[in-house]
């Protein structure tokens, strides 16, 4: 029997996800504050069950009968948890991130530069790692991190915006990318757009419903995008759009419209100075400065998704407004003669009621003859386990006011060649997260639609095809055994679509799509294979575009090739592995990758988390010789999940903490509701070999763990959201003795915020550091928010001292002791360094982009490795530092 595990792309933790510059207004409302309830989250991973069924020769549809999984809820929970760390115990006021970035600019740097480790091609189909635990042979090929903005011109220039990686430019129709936004305070991409003058507009703040997306610092314009670089001085207007996410920019005459998380705004395109004008906010009392601005649900109350302007009369504007989870203000709004805005109805098939207007996207024909829309229904998302997609619509008059006709729903799209047939969910299951629309500039009936997959119609919606299926697993052309492959499975894109554009290179028009795996292109009028799927996709992820979103990093000696092997868990891109002297990274585990343990003495000994403590271990780097195709019991990868895995979110966080003992790599600690310990190291073969050292208590889940010489520290939260947020630290021995909860009063020294990382002095287990996430009391309205981001104890946690004076007030994620006693601290902004016996912090090195660093690890080569959530893995040689 095959292991009950397969990674799939659809748990798109936007982050969760995503991350972002949660420097101001957060999208992590408390569970009780969400405008609409989510259905109960199920444990079954239907994507995993589906592919396992294919491997085992069963009917794919039968795999979904065990448990009707709600894929969208899985992703929603992941996004909420990511942001909880940065916002609880309260709402974060606007300006927090900007203030931290301003302070960063005045700080000195240490000598030395960071080295970009993962600036190499990452092949998700690498045949070295083709087995039941990877996505290899799925068809998405070379990948990178989530791309949320795409723009292209008719001269071969293409622009791609990473979720938290900034903007990259290609002069060759895609490939050979160059970063052009690294001087900006925000690298979080909401959208990219070229205006009629071919200026490039960059709206910051990823808009995939926010929860794990970083907010931005406004909109920037680059007058000469083919040669220039974005600069802070190129910002449009003032600070009005700071700390928002921006869903769309739409141009009409000399006006640009912006749909943001704080309503709809407009600005002149000819005079870029002067403030943005707030056109419409449905609930202004929830805006910053309003009477309800501190309400936990405030971030959800003024979300605008898109704007449609009548091409025949620019004074006629239709706004699509509403939180994807549903609220009474959701709907379509039209501007009135007196300048006000009112809900509209009676537009034909296009929904206008609050229950069915959620994440909605418009796309207009170039000649104005048609207008298209795709809509996610909050009511359907909450009640329909198949899909949240309400439909795809067209206004054949070109007017936003219709009449509108529905031209597709999820059932029709499923029948067009979707890879999701029989998978237990259907197209649009994550339409609150995956949506794009693009009309062919030369043909008003030719439309590209992005959901989890890429769909296409060439006749205005009468018929549909699926040129970009989810993956090739399950198609007749595919077999897990390479010897049985028929060879006619065409390459496809990565799943989870976010951005689209049309451009030309050397006189040929292309469609460019951005998704959770990067950016791909195909001829605009491409061809299909016998299965109805495109046979002409090309990945543009050549390694120069590194927007990979790591949660973790692990480093060990490469005993075969020399040097070191570097691995790490990624948002929706599995576990990457880069062995010594490799020119291409491979993926030995698929789906989402979480925390990682690697043996420093042998980089092929790897323990890797999927989600919720679902752990797997390999002792051969995940390489298989093919014997498993004949005898699955001979597999060399083993599921070793602690029992908390079976409780899902009730037993562990989506990305749960793992660590090995600093003095004994054979002793591991894993944190869920319980603190789990196992002492067999990489020889573990079953989850039953874990022992519960301590129960953190009902409703409590671990946020960080560390161990040294048998002494274990475990930080926890519970509740973890804004409603009654609580945190604590438990300390005890790996053998289960001596456990106790530390006294951490809400008004004590250690803030009542998310505790994100420990470092234990290898010379003295009573000497410990804890990194604190979130923003300090100045910005956070919540009980016990406190001040500071790094605390030190020399008596096992009985007393703590704040040692973060001089640091920017920014969420801290990981702390590491360096040789000589110096400290490195990873934050959402940079890595900082303080020498031993000093109280002065500096920025560690140069060349590291301004993006979130989630984890620091020391390598056996002596280097410090940083896992960033947006720009890959970097290393720094601390040998030039004094202490």
């Amino acid at each position: 029997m095959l292991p009950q595990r397969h990674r799939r792309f659809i748990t798109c933790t936007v982050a969760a996800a995503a991350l972002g510059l949660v420097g101001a207004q957060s999208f992590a409302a408390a569970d009780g504050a969400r405008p609409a309830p989510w259905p109960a989250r199920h444990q079954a991973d239907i994507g995993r069950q589906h592919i396992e069924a294919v491997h085992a020769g069963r009917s794919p549809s039968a795999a979904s009968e065990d448990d009707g999984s709600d894929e969208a809820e899985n992703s929603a929970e992941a996004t909420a948890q990511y942001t909880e760390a940065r916002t609880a115990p309260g709402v974060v006021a606007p300006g927090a991130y900007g203030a931290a970035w301003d302070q960063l600019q005045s700080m000195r740097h240490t000598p030395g530069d960071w080295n970009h480790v993962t600036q190499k091609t990452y092949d998700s189909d690498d045949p070295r790692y083709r087995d039941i635990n990877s996505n290899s042979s799925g068809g998405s090929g070379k990948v990178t991190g989530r791309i949320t903005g795409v723009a292209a011109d008719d001269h071969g220039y293409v622009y791609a915006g990473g979720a938290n990686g900034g903007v990259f430019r290609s002069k060759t129709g895609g490939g050979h990318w160059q970063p052009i936004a690294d001087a900006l305070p925000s690298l979080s991409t909401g959208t990219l757009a070229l205006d009629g003058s071919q200026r490039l507009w960059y709206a910051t703040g990823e808009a995939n419903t926010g929860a794990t997306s970083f907010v931005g610092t406004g909109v920037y314009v680059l007058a000469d995008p083919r040669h220039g670089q974005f600069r802070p001085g190129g910002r449009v207007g003032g600070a009005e759009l700071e700390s928002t996410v921006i869903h769309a920019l739409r141009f009409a005459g000399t006006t640009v419209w912006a749909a943001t998380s704080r309503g709809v705004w407009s600005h002149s395109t000819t005079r870029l100075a002067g403030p943005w004008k707030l056109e419409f906010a449905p609930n202004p009392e929830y805006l910053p400065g309003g009477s309800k601005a501190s309400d936990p649900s405030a971030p959800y109350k003024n979300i605008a998704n898109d704007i449609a302007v009548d091409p025949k009369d620019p004074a006629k504007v239709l706004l699509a407004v509403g939180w994807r989870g549903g609220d009474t203000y959701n709907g379509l709004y039209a501007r009135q003669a007196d300048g006000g805005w009112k809900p509209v109805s009676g537009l034909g098939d296009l929904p206008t009621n609050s229950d069915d207007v959620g994440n909605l996207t418009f796309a207009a024909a170039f000649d104005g003859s048609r207008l298209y829309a795709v809509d996610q229904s909050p009511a359907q998302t909450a009640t329909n386990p198949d899909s949240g997609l309400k439909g795809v619509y067209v206004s054949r008059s070109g007017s936003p006011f219709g009449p509108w006709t529905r031209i597709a729903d999820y059932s029709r799209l499923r029948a067009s060649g979707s890879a999701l047939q029989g998978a237990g969910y259907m197209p649009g299951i994550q339409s609150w997260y995956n949506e794009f629309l693009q009309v062919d500039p030369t043909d008003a009936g030719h439309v590209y639609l992005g959901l989890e997959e890429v769909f296409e119609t060439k006749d205005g919606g009468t018929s549909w095809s699926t040129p970009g299926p989810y993956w090739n697993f399950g198609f007749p052309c595919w077999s897990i055994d390479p010897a049985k492959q028929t060879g006619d499975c065409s390459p496809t894109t990565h799943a989870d679509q976010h951005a689209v554009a049309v451009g030309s290179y050397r006189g040929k028009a292309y469609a460019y799509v951005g998704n959770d795996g990067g950016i791909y292109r195909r001829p605009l009028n491409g061809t299909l294979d016998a299965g109805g799927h495109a046979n002409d996709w090309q990945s543009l992820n050549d390694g120069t575009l590194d927007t990979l979103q790591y949660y973790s990093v692990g480093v060990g000696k490469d005993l075969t090739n020399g040097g070191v092997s570097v691995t790490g868990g990624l948002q929706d891109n599995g576990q990457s592995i880069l062995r010594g002297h490799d020119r291409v990274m491979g993926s030995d585990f698929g789906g989402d990758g979480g925390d990682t343990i690697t043996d420093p003495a042998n980089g092929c000994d790897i323990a890797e988390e999927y989600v919720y403590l679902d752990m797997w271990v390999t002792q051969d780097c995940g390489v298989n010789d093919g014997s498993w195709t004949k005898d699955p019991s001979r597999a060399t990868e083993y599921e070793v999940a602690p029992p908390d895995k079976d409780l899902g979110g009730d037993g562990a966080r989506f990305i749960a903490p793992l660590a090995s003992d600093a003095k004994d790599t054979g002793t591991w600690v894993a944190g869920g509701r319980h603190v789990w310990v196992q002492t067999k190291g990489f020889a573990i073969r079953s989850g039953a070999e874990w022992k519960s050292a301590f129960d953190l208590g009902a409703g409590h889940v671990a946020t960080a763990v560390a161990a040294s010489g048998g002494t274990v520290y475990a930080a926890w939260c519970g509740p973890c959201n804004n409603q009654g947020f609580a945190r604590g630290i438990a300390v005890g021995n790996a053998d289960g003795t001596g456990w106790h909860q530390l006294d951490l009063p809400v008004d004590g020294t250690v803030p009542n915020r998310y505790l994100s990382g420990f470092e234990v002095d290898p010379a003295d287990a009573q000497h410990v550091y804890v990194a604190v996430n979130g923003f300090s009391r100045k910005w956070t309205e919540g009980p016990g928010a406190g001040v500071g981001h790094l605390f030190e104890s020399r008596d096992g946690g009985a007393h703590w001292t704040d040692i973060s004076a001089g640091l920017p007030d920014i969420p801290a994620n990981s702390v590491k002791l360096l040789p000589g006693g110096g400290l490195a601290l990873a934050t959402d902004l940079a890595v900082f360094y303080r020498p031993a016996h000093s109280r002065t912090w500096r920025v560690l090195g140069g060349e590291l982009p301004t993006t979130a660093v989630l984890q620091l690890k020391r390598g056996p080569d002596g280097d410090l490795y940083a896992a960033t959530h947006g720009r890959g893995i970097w290393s720094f040689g601390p040998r030039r530092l004094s202490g």
Side-chain angles (χ1 to χ4, degrees), residues 676-720:
W676 297 98
V677 176
Q678 69 93 5
T679 57
K680 295 188 176 181
F682 293 95
I684 186 174
R685 293 294 179 264
S686 166
E689 296 173 81
W690 291 90
K691 304 299 181 185
S692 175
F694 186 65
D695 184 347
L696 293 172
H700 296 169
V701 288
T703 60
V705 294
S708 181
T711 298
V712 180
Y713 293 86
W716 54 265
C717 65
C720 296

Side-chain angles (χ1 to χ4, degrees), residues 1 26 47 88 119 152 280 293 338 359 417 441 498 515 704 759 808 838-839:
M1 176 145 181
S26 151
Q119 196 174 30
F280 176 64
D338 61 2
N359 185 27
H498 301 293
N515 48 52
E759 176 73 336
S838 172
R839 295 184 179 181

Side-chain angles (χ1 to χ4, degrees), residues 134-336:
S134 80
N135 288 320
S136 181
S137 78
S140 59
K142 299 172 183 177
V143 298
T144 189
R146 186 165 68 249
I147 295 297
T148 52
V150 178
D153 67 16
D154 290 332
H155 302 280
Y157 285 82
V158 184
Y159 309 93
N164 196 35
V167 183
F168 290 76
R169 172 176 60 215
S170 170
K171 303 177 181 180
T172 57
H176 305 288
W177 299 92
Q178 173 192 11
I180 61 172
D182 283 5
L184 296 182
S186 173
L187 300 185
S188 175
T189 301
T191 190
L192 288 170
L194 288 164
D195 66 13
S197 300
Q198 295 300 288
R199 295 177 297 179
L200 183 62
W201 293 65
Y202 178 36
T204 62
E206 186 191 355
N208 287 316
T209 67
T212 60
S213 308
F214 286 110
V215 297
T217 53
V219 177
Y220 300 83
V221 170
L222 186 55
D224 182 13
R226 297 181 191 176
H227 305 96
Q229 305 264 334
F230 282 103
R231 302 291 178 188
R235 187 169 73 172
V236 180
E240 301 81 27
L241 300 187
E242 281 191 5
S243 304
T244 67
V245 303
I246 300 177
H247 296 247
L249 294 176
R250 300 296 184 186
F251 300 95
T254 60
T255 299
V256 58
W257 295 77
T260 82
S261 55
R262 294 210 302 260
V264 177
W265 300 70
S266 69
H267 202 281
S268 168
T269 59
T270 57
R271 184 175 178 273
L272 302 183
W276 286 81
K277 176 186 177 183
L278 178 59
E279 294 280 359
F280 176 64
N283 297 293
E285 65 273 22
Y286 289 93
L287 293 176
S291 61
K292 297 182 179 180
S294 63
D295 189 298
S297 66
Y300 297 87
K301 290 296 187 178
N302 287 287
I303 294 175
N305 294 295
D306 210 344
I307 303 112
V309 181
D310 193 320
K312 300 180 180 64
D313 185 355
K316 295 180 179 179
V317 182
L318 186 66
L319 310 180
V321 174
W323 162 236
R324 50 95 166 167
D327 203 332
T328 55
Y329 76 89
N330 284 32
L332 300 175
Y333 293 77
R335 183 161 57 183
Q336 306 299 298

Side-chain angles (χ1 to χ4, degrees), residues 369-720:
S369 63
R370 295 188 190 183
L371 181 65
Y372 294 86
V374 54
D375 176 47
Q376 168 257 341
S377 163
Q380 190 164 300
T381 299
T383 61
N384 187 342
D386 290 334
S387 176
L389 179 69
K390 188 66 176 178
V392 185
Y393 306 84
V394 63
S395 168
R396 293 188 174 90
S397 68
S399 168
F401 299 95
W404 290 86
T405 302
R406 187 161 74 172
I407 54 176
D409 61 11
Y410 63 84
S411 297
R412 187 170 186 185
L413 294 174
R414 181 189 62 170
S416 69
S418 167
L420 301 183
Q421 294 189 60
Y425 43 81
M426 298 187 191
I429 185 66
Q430 291 185 162
S431 50
W432 56 269
Y433 171 70
N434 307 314
E435 270 194 11
F436 72 55
L437 270 179
Q438 175 69 47
V439 186
D440 183 337
T442 64
D443 183 352
H446 184 197
V447 180
Y448 277 85
L449 163 68
L451 296 168
E452 295 73 41
E453 304 168 288
V454 180
F455 299 92
E456 181 182 20
T457 179
K458 293 188 175 182
D459 53 17
T462 300
S463 60
W464 292 85
S465 62
T466 311
Y470 195 83
W471 50 22
N472 286 326
F473 301 133
F475 291 149
C477 60
W478 176 87
S479 171
I480 190 66
D481 186 346
K484 298 179 181 178
Q485 293 261 3
T486 62
D488 55 356
C489 269
S490 300
T492 185
T493 71
H494 194 289
D496 298 337
Q497 312 304 319
H498 301 293
V500 63
V502 172
S504 296
Y505 178 56
R506 294 181 175 175
K508 188 171 185 178
Y510 290 92
Y512 295 88
V513 300
N515 48 52
D516 273 11
I519 182 170
Y520 298 74
R521 78 176 186 188
R522 71 181 290 242
L524 182 59
N525 284 286
T527 56
L528 304 179
D529 61 21
H533 309 122
N535 55 15
D536 45 15
W537 283 111
Q538 178 184 358
S539 170
L540 303 178
N541 309 306
D542 61 1
T544 61
L545 177 67
D546 184 1
T547 56
L548 290 167
Q549 295 171 279
Y550 282 93
Y551 292 111
S552 64
V553 59
V555 189
K557 292 181 179 179
D558 188 328
L559 302 181
T560 302
N561 305 295
V564 295
S565 176
V566 181
T567 184
L570 289 150
Q571 187 275 326
D572 218 18
N573 281 292
Q575 186 88 2
S576 73
I577 182 165
L578 179 66
R579 302 176 71 178
H581 309 299
D582 269 358
R583 294 186 178 182
V584 175
M585 292 194 296
S587 177
D588 51 1
F589 294 94
D592 283 284
D595 213 343
T596 301
I597 299 175
T598 302
D599 186 350
N602 184 353
C604 275
D605 286 350
I606 304 168
E608 173 278 335
E609 179 193 17
Y610 172 35
V611 293
Y612 299 116
L613 280 184
D614 186 359
M615 291 175 57
W616 287 72
V617 68
T618 178
Q619 293 191 269
D620 64 359
C621 281
V623 175
N624 282 272
D625 62 7
S627 61
W628 57 267
T629 62
K630 307 174 185 66
D631 181 6
S633 67
R634 292 179 59 190
T636 57
E637 297 163 7
Y638 307 91
E639 186 174 24
V640 296
D644 273 352
K645 184 269 291 189
D646 296 329
L647 301 177
D650 296 325
R653 291 180 68 79
F654 192 82
I655 302 299
L658 311 175
S660 61
D661 190 293
K663 293 185 175 181
D664 177 10
T665 56
T667 296
W668 297 357
V669 180
R673 168 178 167 168
H674 294 256
V675 180
W676 297 98
V677 176
Q678 69 93 5
T679 57
K680 295 188 176 181
F682 293 95
I684 186 174
R685 293 294 179 264
S686 166
E689 296 173 81
W690 291 90
K691 304 299 181 185
S692 175
F694 186 65
D695 184 347
L696 293 172
H700 296 169
V701 288
T703 60
V705 294
S708 181
T711 298
V712 180
Y713 293 86
W716 54 265
C717 65
C720 296

Side-chain angles (χ1 to χ4, degrees), residues 35-96:
W38 286 95
R41 190 183 62 78
H42 300 286
Q43 297 306 309
D45 177 342
I46 294 300
R48 180 179 62 197
Q49 290 180 349
H50 173 69
I51 194 60
E52 286 169 355
V54 175
H55 290 164
R58 304 193 307 271
S59 164
S61 59
S64 66
E65 294 173 0
D66 299 334
D67 196 344
S69 173
D70 184 347
E71 283 294 337
E73 176 61 10
N74 230 18
S75 295
E77 184 168 341
T79 59
Q81 287 190 4
Y82 188 85
T83 312
E84 287 167 358
R86 285 153 178 79
T87 59
V91 174
V92 181

Side-chain angles (χ1 to χ4, degrees), residues 114 550 552-553 826 831 848 853-857 864-868 872-876:
W114 288 84
Y550 282 93
S552 64
V553 59
V831 178
L848 184 68
V853 180
L854 296 193
Q855 193 175 85
L856 297 175
K857 291 277 183 72
L864 181 69
Y865 288 80
T868 79
I873 293 173
W874 297 67
S875 67
F876 185 86

